[in-house]
Amino acid sequence: MRLDRYLANMGQGSRQEVRLLIKKGHVQVDGKVCRQTATQIKDSNQVTINQQTISYQEFSYYLLNKPADVLTATKDQKQATVLDLLPKNLPHYQDLAPVGRLDRDTTGLLLLTNDGQLAHRLLQPKYHVAKTYQAVVAGEVKPELVAVFAKGVELADFTTQPAQLRIKNYDANKKQSLVELTIAEGKYHQVKRMLKTFDHEVLALKRLSFGPLNLPADLAAGEYRELNPEEVTALQTAGQAGLK
Ligand code: URA
């Protein structure tokens, strides 16, 4: 890989900025100043900027607590996107993409990565990667619905795989229920459509988990953190074995 690309991918600046750094003699390859932006870097090379080692990582994985009113997209002319919530100097920033999508008004756990292959696998229904949502819905969700959801819900375009519904609370004053729902797919507006089938309009929706990952309690809305190696391995396993 070219030296300028190596540095830009590792969040050391835009291509233009890193080229300037290189030309000004701030970058060393194996301890020697290198002013050639097109120098090919191999795994065995050590790249430093002013003596600080810049190690290369091929993939980056981030977990964002998505706030409401932000689009799950990489770019938008008018509205804020989830990429706007991450610093532009993160490794692979330009290549990060959300894994699946949450509606504009949905909050909670969203993964972002440049590992397109893993993202693709995690989104395939055949792997049954479970996603759990917390929903505030209109009306009282009756216990009978638990068994109905466990068989799968027939929607206009498909029947869902078995889903786990848990009734957490009913607020009789507001006539609203708090439920958790675990689904295996992630089709368009799926949770809202499943609950609406039984006249329960979703008033607020938050994703609590995605496969093996849970939304960390200490991650405020709008904040993100990098996944640790164990979490990445757990995700890779989920995208191979097909967690139930
Ligand atoms: N289901 C929905 O209806 N909306 C989301 O954002 C995610 C799942």
Side-chain angles (χ1 to χ4, degrees), residues 102-103 106 133 189-192 205:
L102 294 176
D103 297 335
T106 301
Y133 294 85
H189 287 175
Q190 184 171 333
V191 171
K192 291 175 184 167
L205 188 61

Side-chain angles (χ1 to χ4, degrees), residues 5-23:
R5 177 145 183 248
Y6 181 107
L7 292 175
N9 282 357
M10 287 305 95
Q12 298 301 313
S14 64
R15 275 278 189 113
Q16 226 174 1
E17 286 164 346
V18 301
R19 280 183 192 146
L20 212 60
L21 272 182
I22 297 166
K23 286 187 176 151

Side-chain angles (χ1 to χ4, degrees), residues 122-123 129-133 181-186 207 209-211:
L122 289 170
L123 294 174
V129 175
K131 295 124 197 138
T132 297
Y133 294 85
L181 180 59
T182 302
I183 59 172
E185 315 87 344
R207 183 151 68 190
S209 73
F210 183 101

